[in-house]
């Protein structure tokens, strides 16, 4: 089975991280596509997201395949937000997670009006799309651990 991907790296207001980040990202995506459906083209945008935000998925129809990651993460810190946001991308690509006008979110055909800035972290984690990512991320990280040789062969 052939898994083609085009990964576009965007450096917004940030210096380019070491090349190992790009290679690592491409290998994670390649392995991830063995168990999850992802778009053929994925945009990874590095920028300063502040000290407490590691990554976010862009719920914007103009950028349907873009995730944003904090430029200040070490490679050890990088794997969790990378896989988390790629799983949101999977949700969007399979139409389980969609943005709607007025800040509304459609999840599995149920419309939610959520102001994430007003939620506690625990309440945020209980949102159905976040619970889904947490469950899938556990499986994905185990799979990546099993394939650790491929990730380390940079």
């Amino acid at each position: 089975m052939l898994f083609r991907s085009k990964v576009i790296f965007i450096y917004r207001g940030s210096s380019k991280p070491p090349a190992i980040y790009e290679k690592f990202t491409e290998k994670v995506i390649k392995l991830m596509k063995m168990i999850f459906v992802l778009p053929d083209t994925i945009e990874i945008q590095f920028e300063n997201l502040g000290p407490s935000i590691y990554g976010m998925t862009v719920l914007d129809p103009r950028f349907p395949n873009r995730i944003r990651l904090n430029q200040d993460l070490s490679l050890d810190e990088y794997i969790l937000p990378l896989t988390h946001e790629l799983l949101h991308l999977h949700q969007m690509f399979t139409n389980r997670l969609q943005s709607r006008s007025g800040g509304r979110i459609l999840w599995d055909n149920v419309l939610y009006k959520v102001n994430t800035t007003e939620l506690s972290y625990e309440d945020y984690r209980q949102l159905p799309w976040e619970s889904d990512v947490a469950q899938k991320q556990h499986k994905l990280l185990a799979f990546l651990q099993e394939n650790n040789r491929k990730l380390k062969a940079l």
Side-chain angles (χ1 to χ4, degrees):
M1 194 178 264
L2 189 58
F3 302 98
R4 294 182 190 243
S5 288
K6 179 179 181 185
V7 182
I8 299 168
F9 295 95
I10 301 164
Y11 305 96
R12 184 168 178 219
S14 70
S15 59
K16 186 175 178 180
I20 193 169
Y21 284 76
E22 291 185 8
K23 290 179 184 177
F24 182 79
T25 300
E26 289 169 343
K27 289 184 183 224
V28 166
I29 290 170
K30 183 178 179 182
L31 288 169
M32 191 172 167
K33 281 189 160 196
M34 296 173 82
I35 55 176
F36 294 105
V37 178
L38 288 170
D40 290 335
T41 301
I42 297 172
E43 297 177 353
I44 310 286
Q45 181 172 314
F46 292 95
E47 65 182 275
N48 183 350
L49 298 174
S52 63
I53 299 174
Y54 282 22
M56 61 179 50
T57 302
V58 179
L59 283 172
D60 185 331
R62 297 174 299 159
F63 310 108
N65 302 335
R66 183 177 295 178
I67 63 171
R68 296 167 58 202
L69 296 168
N70 195 320
Q71 69 185 15
D72 296 326
L73 299 176
S74 70
L75 196 56
D76 288 338
E77 295 170 315
Y78 183 68
I79 186 72
L80 290 177
L82 173 65
T83 55
H84 183 98
E85 301 311 330
L86 286 171
L87 285 166
H88 280 312
L89 202 59
H90 161 74
Q91 292 171 333
M92 292 166 53
F93 188 66
T94 57
N95 289 318
R96 293 188 72 201
L97 179 63
Q98 301 171 36
S99 68
R100 293 290 187 250
S101 63
R104 297 172 300 158
I105 297 172
L106 188 65
W107 168 255
D108 281 345
N109 296 316
V110 177
L111 197 60
Y112 292 82
K113 176 71 173 168
V114 178
N115 184 345
T116 57
T117 61
E118 294 178 358
L119 292 177
S120 70
Y121 180 68
E122 275 306 311
D123 288 341
Y124 180 78
R125 288 181 43 164
Q126 298 304 314
L127 294 170
W129 51 92
E130 293 298 333
S131 296
D132 182 67
V133 163
Q135 179 185 14
K136 285 181 170 69
Q137 190 173 29
H138 181 74
K139 176 183 174 181
L140 176 59
L141 292 173
F143 178 76
L144 293 174
Q145 183 67 35
E146 290 169 13
N147 289 275
N148 194 29
R149 284 188 337 261
K150 294 176 185 170
L151 288 175
K152 294 239 181 205
L154 297 173

